Amino acid sequence: MKTRIVQKALPFAAIVLAVAGAFAANISRTNVSTYADVNGRIPSTCAETSVVCSDIFNPQMCTNGAQQLYKLNAAGTACPQALYKKIQ
């Protein structure tokens, strides 16, 4: 009697475990795509520099000499977002 219950329940348990594992291992692509390496821009003119920065927060600000660098907004009109030093 017990073997019949186990034989019927085992495939069901395997399917439930597989579905739960798929949801647990799902990586959000939106978070990955929002963070990217960008060239820093000088805040007064939004002129692009060749310094590669990151918008992932860390304590070290991205600079070009003594000038802190910023990211251009989506409209391309201003540079409001501070950038951080890229950590390898």
Side-chain angles (χ1 to χ4, degrees):
M1 182 73 168
K2 286 185 180 180
T3 58
R4 287 187 181 177
I5 294 173
V6 171
Q7 286 176 347
K8 290 183 180 183
L10 191 58
F12 178 73
I15 291 171
V16 169
L17 183 63
V19 169
F23 282 111
N26 188 11
I27 297 173
S28 175
R29 300 234 184 258
T30 56
N31 291 342
V32 174
S33 65
T34 57
Y35 294 116
D37 295 339
V38 294
N39 286 353
R41 294 182 177 263
I42 298 172
S44 58
T45 61
C46 286
E48 188 173 10
T49 65
S50 61
V51 180
V52 178
C53 305
S54 175
D55 50 5
I56 299 173
F57 176 78
N58 71 58
Q60 298 176 347
M61 301 305 287
C62 188
T63 58
N64 186 14
Q67 182 71 50
Q68 184 175 344
L69 300 177
Y70 290 81
K71 181 179 179 180
L72 189 65
N73 65 1
T77 58
C79 303
Q81 182 182 355
L83 291 173
Y84 306 97
K85 185 175 181 179
K86 183 179 174 184
I87 297 177
Q88 306 284 337

